[in-house]
Amino acid sequence: MNALAIDFTPVWLTLRLALTSTAILLIIGTPVAWWLARTSSFCKLPVESIVALPLVLPPTVLGFYLLIALAPTGPLGRVWHAISGGSLAFSFSGLVIGSVLYSLPFVVQPLQNAFEAIGERPLKVAAMLGAGPVDRFFTVALPLARRGLVTAITLGFAHTVGEFGVVLMIGGNIPGKTQVLSISIYDHVEALEYGRAHVLSAGLLAFSFLVLFVVHLTNRRLQARGL
Amino acid sequence: MNALAIDFTPVWLTLRLALTSTAILLIIGTPVAWWLARTSSFCKLPVESIVALPLVLPPTVLGFYLLIALAPTGPLGRVWHAISGGSLAFSFSGLVIGSVLYSLPFVVQPLQNAFEAIGERPLKVAAMLGAGPVDRFFTVALPLARRGLVTAITLGFAHTVGEFGVVLMIGGNIPGKTQVLSISIYDHVEALEYGRAHVLSAGLLAFSFLVLFVVHLTNRRLQARGL
Amino acid sequence: PIGRHSTNSGSVVDVAVAADFIHTLQDLGTAFASAGGGHIVISAGSTGKLYAQIHAGAPYDVLLAADVSTPRLLVKQGLGVAASRFTYARGRIALWSRSPRRVDNKGLVLRNGKFRHLAIANPKTAPYGAAAREVLQHLGLWQTLRTRIVRGDDIGQTFQFAASGNAGLAFVALAQLKDPAFPASGSYWIVPQKLYAPIDQQAVLLERARNNAAAIAFVKFLHSHRARTIIRRYGYNVD
Amino acid sequence: MSDIDAHLVLRRGEFVLDATFQTPARGITALFGPSGCGKSTLLHCIAGLEPAVRGTLRVNDELWQDSELHVFVPAHRRRVGYVFQDAGMLAHLSVRGNLEYGMRRARRARSGPAFAQTVEWAGIGPLLGRRVQGLSGGERSRVAMACALLTDPVMLLMDEPLAALDARSRAEMLPYLERLHSELSIPVLYVSHAIDEVARLADHLISLEPGRVVACGALREMLTRLDLPFARSDEAAAILDAVVTGYDEQFQLALLAFPGGRLAIPQRRLPAGTAVRVRILARDVSLSLAHHHDTSILNIFPARVLDITEDRPAQAVVRLDAAGAVFLARVTRRSVHSLGLKPDAEIYAQIKSVALLR
Amino acid sequence: MSDIDAHLVLRRGEFVLDATFQTPARGITALFGPSGCGKSTLLHCIAGLEPAVRGTLRVNDELWQDSELHVFVPAHRRRVGYVFQDAGMLAHLSVRGNLEYGMRRARRARSGPAFAQTVEWAGIGPLLGRRVQGLSGGERSRVAMACALLTDPVMLLMDEPLAALDARSRAEMLPYLERLHSELSIPVLYVSHAIDEVARLADHLISLEPGRVVACGALREMLTRLDLPFARSDEAAAILDAVVTGYDEQFQLALLAFPGGRLAIPQRRLPAGTAVRVRILARDVSLSLAHHHDTSILNIFPARVLDITEDRPAQAVVRLDAAGAVFLARVTRRSVHSLGLKPDAEIYAQIKSVALLR
Ligand SMILES: Nc1ncnc2c1ncn2[C@@H]1O[C@H](COP(=O)(O)OP(=O)(O)OP(=O)(O)O)[C@@H](O)[C@H]1O
Ligand SMILES: Nc1ncnc2c1ncn2[C@@H]1O[C@H](COP(=O)(O)OP(=O)(O)OP(=O)(O)O)[C@@H](O)[C@H]1O
Ligand SMILES: [Mg+2]
Ligand SMILES: [Mg+2]
């Protein structure tokens, strides 16, 4: 085997994980951010702080606690087992849960800021043009929060790609199943296979640069046309 | 030795690191974000993408490359040695550099969004009230970008507290010098000292919750008075 | 390389240690100090990480690696003192389950037991993982169990997989089970030495401490009878 | 009886709005009052944009709000067209995008011609592709008006829509606004601080003082009531009903008759028999004892003094009755004295100009 | 000679502003033109808020911009006070915060009394502690005006500052604006689409058509030039200089003399000998062949017809000369015919009302 021969399975897995997680992050994060931006409930402050909390735990430690929660005897794992019959730890679904939890603040906070910056005005204008709440959310709030959305996607995606502490912990580093690129690079470094690590890192950087570049470019295009 | 006896050195070290890094992040990140928000230079896109890049590398791998750069034989380390006579790797300064680099996107992106959301208008108004560019930046742009600033501080601080991959790699886990709380918890988990890990994690969570809560509360107060 | 930290603090020894040996080292440190040796400061990490750090000038005086090849490499690269390199412990692995009576004393559970996941340390980066793979290959189970094997970053994580109940079985270090401070419950099978190549863990005095009396004294101490007793107590074999 | 029936209470900081009024749900009702008296706030409440408002609101026999009964029809279901005071629009859409946004959500699909016609009227054809940020003040308000109309609303709320317009654009839009209530047959609540605009457009008038409604009724009565600010203002005017009786081809003057006499006004041809409405500003009316034929003033007729109010140091408002038609004249106190004006005096009213309303 | 000398070119999408004008750097210069013609854009350029503008700008012998010489004085160094069309303010500061923001950065420290006085004038005392978002349209513009004044500017730029005000507040602020140029002795560029406001306030007039300056000069000439839109508008007016000669205590009328005759106008006492300026609206002037003494019109004097322009189907503008004072009368074509008006005809001008400007 060539010393630099590279297995591409982790690349696809990473891409799949990052895309799935980003999608789920948006689906969960957007309503949370919207609620946080508009509520004046006394729950707002605690919820805001709780969303940011996963950040302060070292990923491996967060992973450790997740591992306990996801275990067949743990709270989440039991529910999941009852529903799907499978186990969460060491599965792709588990990875997604971990990534989502860990990257949530990066998605919620920029979105919340963007929603707050919109203010009441455009929503009132839209209401007067006949748009109901859901309609307003999709046709006014989201487009006006576009910059925040881009940041949320950027941070969420990049962070999921780079994340490895949580993923390593709850994924079990199973090649082809839970061994994502970040772990694979990490393994090369640990195993002193610096050459392969360099190649993979460079590839990851180039690829991510490309993705981020495209996201920012799209954003610019939209900006030029719209806001 | 009591099984739950806890050494508080890592706590102070972490606090010092997080505060220093957050301060430096703001000092570096704010001008970068301001420039990104207002430039239409063709450099904008590449710079935006580069700022986000450290995110996609697994922290340990980023740490590995930093280690190479900071080593006395590495590019940064050599310069530093020439200036200060000391070494960057395995020093507090090195930790700060690592944390700053890794957390930069979390500070730059929300700030940039906030600056962009301000628009030209208030700056023009301030100019007409006699405020020069620097004056405008501090008295108009920053206050109006307050929400972004809060997010930047929150994410930057929390991420530095929770970060451990980079710090472990370039800090070397030296008790009293570079062994921060996250590493210390990690060590306890690794060493199967779950009890201590739980206590430290709970303490860290409680403390961070408190910090974040205070930040958000201050933000709210300011919001109620100002924007 | 200049370490601001320990150049003239003669009585302090910075020891970099592979994670599995950390508790043993703590005990050794206490013993060393009480023997008038000096104070040791422990930095733990995976052997791979420690190598990269030493390469980048980390201020460690002694490395207690989890393998043989890393100290050998350091010596070859002029970062370790050749004469000081020696095997301070020989690790042993055990198959462990947190449920009592799950694991029989022949390891038959691997062949016919019902378990979803078997945790081993990453064979690529952790010597204990390599040993576990060898055992499985020896038993002819490596291929059949392939899909059920989950890999921890190191034996610490591997232990957590099993301890949290996510993996039914795990190949862990015997030292982890024997740890007097945290005696493990459940059942285990100490894998016979003939099923895997010895996990020799070597120590080496690092070049920067070539003339550090305290460090030299500590390495010497590791050879002592007192030290060997302590090491043996944690389930390691010592020559 | 289709009415707008409101009793709305809202507290906003130190400002308390407590407005009770009733006005017919047809034609244009003007909301008139000083700066900061709560006109915009009242429109917001009616539109349903102030969830904190208490009270009841009934429009066209539909209950839009009753805080006792916990009825609150949400803003977008009220289907009102709102021209905001700052001509608020959706910043992320182009001018066309804004127009279509409301049109697509209208009760009934509006036809293409309606779009083209509205764009034409507002004079915003060249702006359609533009972003709304670059629009000038006047352009903004024209686009905002077009937006509101295209939502096919059941009621229009307009907050000083012409304030940012120059005289020419304003003159161009006024006739269309005038036709709104006959063509669209929807009620319009119209905030304005320009009495001439109000007099010209409105059928009804709601007069506000800070936080409350002080008077509310038909425009005509309100304008000549000397206890209200209108009759005392520089723009005081009376409104008369008249009928077209003929047309002077040579000089292009329409000839009108009203109970008190005849009027000739510059105007394009109108069919004889058309009922029209004219406005006579108090400041355009001078009085004389004899009927002079050698002046450039065309409209002179006999009238009887009803009463005289000396509302300013040097001036007075004289209420006149010309065979039942009541109108006002603003003269100096000196003239009151020198002409010996007093109630029941018979004099000639000379009217310098008359504006045809519709 | 202290002048404002501008030659400014700016392209913005399809709109191109190419404005060249010169106006004295004292008194009030009105910028007048239809919606979207570039008035606000021009003010932005003068303020230095449009970095893309090319050309030259010289104010008071200071070179503010010369794109050839690469001179561009940054906006905050020009020390102009700007009242934006939307009354833009700093949203994160209270009303007081906004006022103080500019005051603290003024060239010379303004005294406390200046602050109190300005607040008093603008009538914003009760608003000082408020956030700027809650302000009503009229309140906003008053605060914005106070802000601009408190920066102690070398020039004021005002973009339709009174458009959002009701008649009463407008009437209250106009006199103060009138006093600006005598008291502050700084030039004011004043955008307005209300001819009456312009006639009342301005000394000079810059008339804009989309993208360019079509005329520029002293207000008085501009207003009566029949080739410009002013004389043809409904608000056409002439401005005369007069001197106070006496006061009628009984009826509180000021007696004025101008070359062509005498005027009596409702006015508080003015010292005899004061030079004043009055505005006579063309629509307030009627003509007669004889001098009638039995009417309520106080001001009647002989005049000679200069020329007659039939600018509308039914109406004409008659330019009159009363011993050198030129003014306008709007009459119907029928009256021109029936009174036999033609150049050099001698007639009597009856003036219904006269406004004292200052
Ligand atoms: N959040 C608030 N706190 C306190 N007062 C407020 C608030 N919002 C509005 N107001 C006050 O309510 C009053 C009514 O405002 P509104 O905008 O309805 O006035 P308006 O009649 O439309 O005036 P304008 O003709 O100047 O537009 C004003 O005095 C305003 O200052
Ligand atoms: N970004 C832009 N792209 C294209 N045209 C623009 C842009 N910004 C402004 N304009 C146009 O420039 C012209 C001048 O605008 P400006 O605001 O100066 O008008 P204005 O004379 O102040 O009008 P108003 O009296 O209505 O306020 C307008 O026709 C406007 O549509
Ligand atoms: Mg208003
Ligand atoms: Mg404008």
Side-chain angles (χ1 to χ4, degrees):
Chain A
M1 189 162 78
N2 176 346
L4 293 184
I6 282 158
D7 177 10
F8 276 102
T9 332
V11 177
W12 303 131
L13 199 61
T14 300
L15 204 59
R16 213 176 114 213
L17 177 65
L19 291 179
T20 315
S21 299
T22 309
I24 292 180
L25 277 168
L26 286 180
I27 293 170
I28 296 179
T30 314
V32 172
W34 181 242
W35 179 79
L36 282 175
R38 303 184 60 78
T39 188
S40 50
S41 147
F42 76 103
C43 289
K44 180 180 173 173
L45 227 56
V47 171
E48 264 178 332
S49 305
I50 285 172
V51 166
L53 268 193
L55 263 185
V56 304
L57 282 185
T60 326
V61 174
L62 183 70
F64 171 63
Y65 287 113
L66 268 177
L67 205 55
I68 295 176
L70 297 185
T73 49
L76 272 179
R78 212 174 311 180
V79 173
W80 183 262
H81 189 76
I83 298 170
S84 71
S87 106
L88 264 182
F90 316 125
S91 72
F92 186 75
S93 314
L95 287 196
V96 171
I97 292 183
S99 301
V100 165
L101 194 70
Y102 190 49
S103 298
L104 199 58
F106 305 124
V107 169
V108 170
Q109 294 234 13
L111 273 176
Q112 184 186 342
N113 282 357
F115 284 140
E116 281 175 356
I118 293 176
E120 283 282 289
R121 212 70 227 298
L123 299 170
K124 287 187 174 177
V125 170
M128 287 299 99
L129 294 174
V134 176
D135 192 355
R136 290 202 288 272
F137 175 76
F138 284 105
T139 59
V140 178
L142 271 189
L144 284 175
R146 196 172 39 71
R147 268 195 290 255
L149 207 61
V150 169
T151 297
I153 293 175
T154 310
L155 293 183
F157 182 87
H159 201 248
T160 310
V161 168
E163 213 298 295
F164 96 118
V166 175
V167 161
L168 185 59
M169 198 70 172
I170 62 181
N173 195 359
I174 307 172
K177 212 172 137 206
T178 58
Q179 186 186 61
V180 293
L181 196 49
S182 54
I183 299 182
S184 160
I185 299 180
Y186 172 74
D187 280 355
H188 286 307
V189 171
E190 288 283 288
L192 315 190
E193 300 167 352
Y194 294 160
R196 285 198 203 172
H198 293 339
V199 172
L200 277 181
S201 295
L204 183 59
L205 280 179
F207 169 75
S208 305
F209 185 84
L210 213 77
V211 170
L212 295 178
F213 196 83
V214 167
V215 168
H216 284 143
L217 202 72
T218 318
N219 178 28
R220 273 240 193 147
R221 285 270 165 80
L222 289 173
Q223 194 163 351
R225 290 195 314 160
L227 188 63
Chain B
M1 188 161 78
N2 177 348
L4 291 184
I6 280 158
D7 177 11
F8 277 102
T9 332
V11 177
W12 303 132
L13 200 61
T14 301
L15 203 59
R16 216 176 110 213
L17 178 66
L19 291 179
T20 316
S21 299
T22 310
I24 293 180
L25 278 168
L26 286 180
I27 293 171
I28 296 179
T30 314
V32 172
W34 181 243
W35 179 78
L36 282 175
R38 304 185 59 78
T39 188
S40 49
S41 146
F42 76 103
C43 289
K44 179 178 173 172
L45 228 56
V47 171
E48 264 178 332
S49 305
I50 285 171
V51 166
L53 269 193
L55 264 183
V56 302
L57 282 185
T60 326
V61 175
L62 183 69
F64 172 63
Y65 288 113
L66 269 176
L67 196 59
I68 295 176
L70 298 184
T73 49
L76 273 178
R78 211 173 313 178
V79 173
W80 182 264
H81 187 73
I83 298 170
S84 72
S87 117
L88 263 182
F90 317 112
S91 71
F92 186 75
S93 314
L95 288 196
V96 172
I97 291 183
S99 301
V100 165
L101 193 70
Y102 191 49
S103 298
L104 199 59
F106 304 125
V107 170
V108 169
Q109 295 232 13
L111 273 176
Q112 185 187 342
N113 282 356
F115 285 141
E116 280 175 358
I118 293 176
E120 283 282 291
R121 212 71 225 299
L123 299 171
K124 287 187 173 177
V125 170
M128 286 298 99
L129 293 175
V134 176
D135 192 357
R136 289 201 290 270
F137 175 75
F138 283 105
T139 58
V140 178
L142 272 189
L144 284 174
R146 197 172 39 71
R147 269 195 289 256
L149 207 61
V150 168
T151 298
I153 293 175
T154 309
L155 294 183
F157 183 86
H159 201 249
T160 309
V161 168
E163 212 298 296
F164 97 118
V166 175
V167 162
L168 182 58
M169 202 67 175
I170 62 179
N173 194 0
I174 305 172
K177 213 173 133 204
T178 59
Q179 188 187 60
V180 294
L181 196 50
S182 54
I183 298 181
S184 160
I185 299 180
Y186 172 73
D187 277 355
H188 286 309
V189 171
E190 285 285 285
L192 320 186
E193 300 165 356
Y194 295 158
R196 286 198 203 171
H198 293 336
V199 171
L200 277 181
S201 293
L204 183 59
L205 280 180
F207 168 74
S208 304
F209 185 84
L210 211 77
V211 170
L212 296 179
F213 196 83
V214 168
V215 169
H216 283 143
L217 202 71
T218 317
N219 179 29
R220 272 240 195 146
R221 286 270 165 80
L222 288 174
Q223 195 162 352
R225 290 195 314 160
L227 188 63
Chain C
I2 293 125
R4 181 158 48 87
H5 182 57
S6 58
T7 33
N8 49 13
S9 51
S11 60
V12 172
V13 187
D14 284 293
V15 183
V17 64
D20 67 293
F21 200 67
I22 183 162
H23 283 151
T24 321
L25 183 59
Q26 275 164 359
D27 269 8
L28 288 170
T30 317
F32 180 55
S34 66
H39 179 63
I40 65 165
V41 174
I42 302 173
S43 297
S46 71
T47 304
K49 213 173 280 154
L50 293 173
Y51 167 77
Q53 289 170 339
I54 289 165
H55 206 77
Y60 304 139
D61 298 322
V62 178
L63 169 69
L64 302 185
D67 60 5
V68 179
S69 57
T70 304
R72 194 189 287 144
L73 188 61
L74 284 170
V75 167
K76 200 171 129 206
Q77 292 174 333
L79 293 166
V81 179
S84 67
R85 186 162 72 86
F86 82 106
T87 303
Y88 63 89
R90 178 165 299 146
R92 287 193 282 168
I93 64 172
L95 179 68
W96 176 65
S97 165
R98 69 172 188 173
S99 340
R101 290 187 297 281
R102 177 92 180 261
V103 181
D104 55 289
N105 57 9
K106 292 208 173 61
L108 293 175
V109 64
L110 281 175
R111 221 175 281 281
N112 33 31
K114 280 214 233 146
F115 58 92
R116 198 192 297 274
H117 294 293
L118 166 64
I120 66 172
N122 191 344
K124 191 167 161 185
T125 58
Y128 285 88
R133 177 176 57 191
E134 230 177 304
V135 171
L136 289 172
Q137 281 167 340
H138 227 103
L139 297 175
L141 293 170
W142 179 245
Q143 288 306 326
T144 39
L145 291 182
R146 215 187 161 88
T147 54
R148 289 199 255 169
I149 290 174
V150 296
R151 303 183 298 171
D153 181 31
D154 50 34
I155 54 159
Q157 239 178 58
T158 311
F159 188 88
Q160 286 150 29
F161 286 165
S164 63
N166 285 288
L169 296 173
F171 278 108
V172 298
L174 183 61
Q176 291 172 303
L177 303 174
K178 286 269 177 112
D179 193 326
F182 311 98
S185 59
S187 49
Y188 60 88
W189 166 53
I190 301 177
V191 181
Q193 288 269 277
K194 62 179 195 301
L195 291 180
Y196 58 99
I199 307 170
D200 283 347
Q201 306 196 180
Q202 287 204 334
V204 65
L205 182 69
L206 294 171
E207 191 56 39
R208 70 190 290 279
R210 179 182 279 278
N211 301 316
N212 182 330
I216 295 168
F218 178 67
V219 174
K220 206 178 215 172
F221 173 75
L222 289 179
H223 288 281
S224 72
H225 179 71
R226 179 135 180 236
R228 287 153 169 250
T229 315
I230 294 172
I231 295 172
R232 226 176 254 122
R233 198 159 69 219
Y234 278 83
Y236 295 97
N237 284 348
V238 188
D239 290 339
Chain D
M1 178 61 202
S2 67
D3 264 349
I4 297 167
D5 212 330
H7 172 59
L8 297 167
V9 181
L10 177 72
R11 164 178 287 279
R12 254 213 201 153
E14 281 169 25
F15 179 80
V16 180
L17 175 76
D18 185 343
T20 307
F21 66 87
Q22 188 172 23
T23 188
R26 58 198 146 67
I28 296 178
T29 300
L31 288 170
F32 187 88
S35 170
C37 72
K39 304 182 294 294
S40 304
T41 309
L42 183 55
L43 286 199
H44 263 67
C45 294
I46 294 172
L49 296 175
E50 286 291 349
V53 70
R54 317 288 308 155
T56 57
L57 173 63
R58 189 180 290 279
V59 173
N60 274 333
D61 291 326
E62 273 180 48
L63 190 63
W64 280 7
Q65 158 155 25
D66 189 328
S67 30
E68 298 276 288
L69 303 178
H70 300 288
V71 173
F72 189 90
V73 177
H76 66 285
R77 294 250 174 72
R78 300 193 180 188
R79 318 250 42 143
V80 303
Y82 197 143
V83 180
F84 289 90
Q85 187 163 13
D86 62 355
M89 273 175 279
L90 298 175
H92 61 300
L93 299 178
S94 66
V95 169
R96 179 190 289 279
N98 270 277
L99 295 171
E100 290 179 347
Y101 191 94
M103 200 166 74
R104 273 203 227 97
R105 289 165 177 79
R107 284 176 303 168
R108 306 167 297 197
R110 313 279 332 242
S111 58
F115 181 82
Q117 203 179 316
T118 310
V119 166
E120 159 82 36
W121 159 68
I124 52 176
L127 305 177
L128 284 181
R130 289 268 300 279
R131 295 163 53 182
V132 298
Q133 280 98 325
L135 297 179
S136 82
E139 289 164 346
R140 277 188 84 85
S141 40
R142 285 179 283 153
V143 174
M145 274 190 276
C147 270
L149 285 176
L150 285 172
T151 60
D152 186 29
V154 298
M155 172 155 83
L156 263 180
L157 306 178
M158 310 184 95
D159 200 347
E160 312 202 9
L162 303 184
L165 291 184
D166 60 298
R168 199 193 302 166
S169 328
R170 190 190 294 229
E172 279 165 19
M173 306 203 77
L174 270 173
Y176 191 95
L177 285 180
E178 286 173 346
R179 286 206 319 268
L180 276 186
H181 86 316
S182 56
E183 289 190 5
L184 292 182
S185 70
I186 57 166
V188 179
L189 291 186
Y190 189 98
V191 170
S192 174
H193 55 245
I195 291 204
D196 62 332
E197 217 173 278
V198 170
R200 181 151 175 196
L201 289 175
D203 303 295
H204 306 279
L205 187 57
I206 296 173
S207 175
L208 292 151
E209 294 274 298
R212 61 200 188 84
V213 172
V214 286
C216 157
L219 176 73
R220 201 163 308 212
E221 290 156 30
M222 301 276 289
L223 287 185
T224 52
R225 265 171 63 182
L226 287 170
D227 60 332
L228 291 180
F230 311 105
R232 297 156 183 244
S233 76
D234 281 340
E235 305 289 330
I239 295 198
L240 301 181
D241 288 312
V243 176
V244 178
T245 55
Y247 195 71
D248 177 338
E249 288 292 347
Q250 191 187 352
F251 297 111
Q252 309 219 23
L253 297 172
L255 306 175
L256 315 178
F258 76 103
R262 290 152 49 77
L263 297 168
I265 62 174
Q267 178 68 31
R268 252 166 269 166
R269 171 180 287 290
L270 281 173
T274 313
V276 294
R277 190 169 154 192
V278 297
R279 185 194 58 191
I280 296 172
L281 284 173
R283 50 185 297 245
D284 283 340
V285 180
S286 56
L287 308 175
S288 69
L289 300 182
H291 187 160
H292 302 291
H293 295 276
D294 66 342
T295 89
S296 65
I297 300 177
L298 290 186
N299 299 309
I300 302 178
F301 42 81
R304 190 171 54 86
V305 173
L306 285 174
D307 47 37
I308 299 168
T309 310
E310 300 195 345
D311 60 337
R312 299 186 185 178
Q315 292 177 305
V317 182
V318 181
R319 263 200 329 146
L320 301 166
D321 174 32
V326 174
F327 55 99
L328 306 173
R330 163 136 338 257
V331 298
T332 56
R333 274 175 48 230
R334 173 142 111 187
S335 302
V336 171
H337 180 81
S338 63
L339 298 184
L341 299 183
K342 50 183 175 293
D344 288 333
E346 301 283 342
I347 45 90
Y348 287 90
Q350 310 181 120
I351 295 168
K352 177 69 171 74
S353 65
V354 176
L356 184 82
L357 294 187
R358 53 174 169 256
Chain E
M1 176 64 201
S2 68
D3 264 350
I4 297 167
D5 211 331
H7 172 58
L8 297 167
V9 181
L10 177 72
R11 163 177 288 279
R12 255 211 200 154
E14 283 170 22
F15 178 80
V16 180
L17 175 76
D18 184 343
T20 307
F21 67 88
Q22 186 173 23
T23 189
R26 57 199 147 67
I28 297 179
T29 300
L31 288 171
F32 186 88
S35 170
C37 71
K39 305 182 292 294
S40 304
T41 308
L42 184 54
L43 286 199
H44 262 66
C45 293
I46 293 171
L49 296 175
E50 286 291 350
V53 68
R54 315 289 307 156
T56 57
L57 174 63
R58 188 180 291 276
V59 174
N60 273 334
D61 291 326
E62 273 180 48
L63 190 62
W64 281 6
Q65 160 157 22
D66 189 328
S67 29
E68 298 276 290
L69 302 178
H70 300 287
V71 173
F72 189 90
V73 177
H76 66 284
R77 294 252 173 73
R78 300 192 181 188
R79 316 251 43 142
V80 303
Y82 197 143
V83 181
F84 288 90
Q85 186 164 15
D86 62 355
M89 271 173 281
L90 298 176
H92 62 300
L93 299 178
S94 66
V95 168
R96 179 190 289 279
N98 271 275
L99 294 171
E100 289 178 348
Y101 190 95
M103 199 166 74
R104 273 204 227 97
R105 288 166 177 79
R107 282 177 305 167
R108 303 168 297 195
R110 313 279 332 242
S111 58
F115 181 83
Q117 199 179 320
T118 310
V119 165
E120 159 82 36
W121 160 67
I124 52 176
L127 306 177
L128 284 181
R130 290 267 301 279
R131 294 165 52 183
V132 298
Q133 279 98 327
L135 297 179
S136 82
E139 289 164 345
R140 277 188 83 84
S141 38
R142 284 181 283 152
V143 173
M145 274 189 278
C147 271
L149 285 176
L150 284 172
T151 60
D152 184 29
V154 298
M155 172 154 85
L156 264 179
L157 306 178
M158 310 185 94
D159 200 345
E160 313 201 9
L162 303 183
L165 292 183
D166 61 299
R168 198 193 303 166
S169 327
R170 191 191 294 232
E172 279 165 19
M173 306 204 77
L174 270 173
Y176 191 95
L177 286 180
E178 286 172 346
R179 287 205 319 269
L180 275 185
H181 85 316
S182 57
E183 288 191 5
L184 292 181
S185 70
I186 57 166
V188 179
L189 290 186
Y190 190 96
V191 170
S192 174
H193 55 245
I195 290 205
D196 62 333
E197 219 172 277
V198 170
R200 181 151 175 198
L201 288 175
D203 304 295
H204 305 277
L205 187 57
I206 296 173
S207 175
L208 293 151
E209 293 275 298
R212 63 201 185 85
V213 172
V214 287
C216 157
L219 177 73
R220 196 163 312 209
E221 291 155 30
M222 303 277 289
L223 285 185
T224 51
R225 265 171 64 180
L226 287 169
D227 60 331
L228 292 179
F230 311 106
R232 294 154 186 246
S233 76
D234 281 341
E235 305 289 332
I239 297 207
L240 301 181
D241 288 312
V243 175
V244 178
T245 54
Y247 194 71
D248 177 338
E249 288 291 348
Q250 189 187 354
F251 298 112
Q252 309 219 23
L253 297 171
L255 307 175
L256 314 177
F258 77 103
R262 289 155 49 80
L263 298 168
I265 62 173
Q267 178 66 32
R268 253 166 266 165
R269 171 180 287 289
L270 280 172
T274 313
V276 296
R277 192 169 153 189
V278 298
R279 186 194 57 191
I280 297 172
L281 283 173
R283 49 183 297 244
D284 283 340
V285 180
S286 57
L287 308 175
S288 70
L289 298 181
H291 188 160
H292 302 293
H293 295 275
D294 66 341
T295 90
S296 64
I297 299 178
L298 289 187
N299 298 308
I300 302 178
F301 41 80
R304 189 171 54 87
V305 174
L306 285 173
D307 48 37
I308 300 168
T309 311
E310 301 197 342
D311 61 337
R312 299 184 186 179
Q315 291 177 308
V317 182
V318 180
R319 261 201 331 149
L320 301 165
D321 174 32
V326 175
F327 57 101
L328 305 173
R330 167 149 316 275
V331 298
T332 57
R333 275 176 48 232
R334 174 143 110 187
S335 302
V336 171
H337 181 82
S338 63
L339 299 184
L341 299 182
K342 53 182 173 295
D344 288 333
E346 300 283 342
I347 46 91
Y348 286 90
Q350 310 182 118
I351 296 169
K352 178 69 171 74
S353 65
V354 177
L356 184 81
L357 295 186
R358 54 176 168 255

